[in-house]
Amino acid sequence: MKRTLVLAAHPNLRESKINRAWLERLAGEEKVTIHDLYAEYPDFRIHVEKEQELAASHERLVFQFPFYWYSSPAILKEWQDAVLTYGWAYGSAGKALHGKEFMLALSTGGPEEAYGEGGYNRYPIGELLRPFQAMANLTGMTFLPPFLLHGVRTLSDEQIRASAEALAARLSE
Ligand SMILES: Cc1cc2nc3c(=O)[nH]c(=O)nc-3n(C[C@H](O)[C@H](O)[C@H](O)COP(=O)(O)O)c2cc1C
């Protein structure tokens, strides 16, 4: 079984700084498979069996994305809706993902304090990410601490590079 599957979801990677830098760095990691969902499914017609096979053949799943409207870009929701079927991902016979690890890797425009006590986003990021945690719980996966990069608009190239290194280090664990 392979180690880590990164399900990457950025609708416009050409204009991306953070997620593109992360993917370019992770491309060099032997134990990481990168799967660019928008490139694979520009029409959102997800190949369910192919995705289930890919997910089942890895020990750890990672959703990597820019935070959009307090959630992921739409294709990751579509991926969950289409791929995590009853009898495969959940239900008494649905154990395909049991025992795997699940991690989020996301960048946010809002600075860390915007998600803190009294911040303009009002809710801590951990609360906003609960649906992903609940999905991991229901499908029997261990929810690892998310990899977060906040306040991305003001980061230097060096800080972006360092974050890519840190993500690669997390995923080589
Ligand atoms: C449609 C859209 C929605 C966004 N929603 C949020 C949001 O809810 N919270 C936030 O902190 N940043 C939000 N942002 C900012 C993005 O998270 C930020 O631009 C992205 O993480 C940068 O990553 P990239 O360089 O890979 O594009 C949003 C950006 C767009 C385009």
Side-chain angles (χ1 to χ4, degrees), residues 50-108:
K50 181 176 160 182
E51 294 301 312
Q52 288 181 339
E53 268 172 39
L54 200 55
S57 66
H58 288 78
E59 294 168 354
R60 175 165 56 196
L61 307 189
V62 178
F63 283 2
Q64 186 203 301
F65 55 92
F67 207 37
Y68 277 9
W69 285 111
Y70 306 107
S71 187
S72 66
I75 206 163
L76 269 175
K77 181 63 165 59
E78 182 62 18
W79 187 93
Q80 292 171 83
D81 295 352
V83 176
L84 303 179
T85 52
Y86 178 79
W88 185 81
Y90 69 101
S92 57
K95 297 189 178 354
L97 300 176
H98 275 214
K100 296 187 190 298
E101 293 175 336
F102 179 76
M103 194 179 114
L104 300 172
L106 62 140
S107 56
T108 77

Side-chain angles (χ1 to χ4, degrees), residues 10 16-19 66-70 107-110 115 152:
H10 195 300
S16 155
K17 275 184 93 169
I18 311 300
N19 285 267
F67 207 37
Y68 277 9
W69 285 111
Y70 306 107
S107 56
T108 77
Y115 293 96
V152 297

Side-chain angles (χ1 to χ4, degrees), residues 111-127:
E112 191 168 7
E113 59 273 19
Y115 293 96
E117 185 87 9
Y120 68 79
N121 284 318
R122 294 200 185 185
Y123 308 111
I125 193 92
E127 291 304 312

Side-chain angles (χ1 to χ4, degrees), residues 114-172:
Y115 293 96
E117 185 87 9
Y120 68 79
N121 284 318
R122 294 200 185 185
Y123 308 111
I125 193 92
E127 291 304 312
L128 297 167
L129 298 176
R130 284 278 187 233
F132 296 103
Q133 190 167 9
M135 178 276 283
N137 291 343
L138 190 73
T139 58
M141 296 192 282
T142 302
F143 187 77
L144 301 177
F147 181 87
L148 303 170
L149 186 65
H150 290 297
V152 297
R153 275 185 286 272
T154 57
L155 297 180
S156 66
D157 288 349
E158 188 42 46
Q159 286 171 311
I160 295 172
R161 248 196 311 277
S163 78
E165 277 312 315
L167 178 58
R170 277 287 304 275
L171 296 189
S172 67

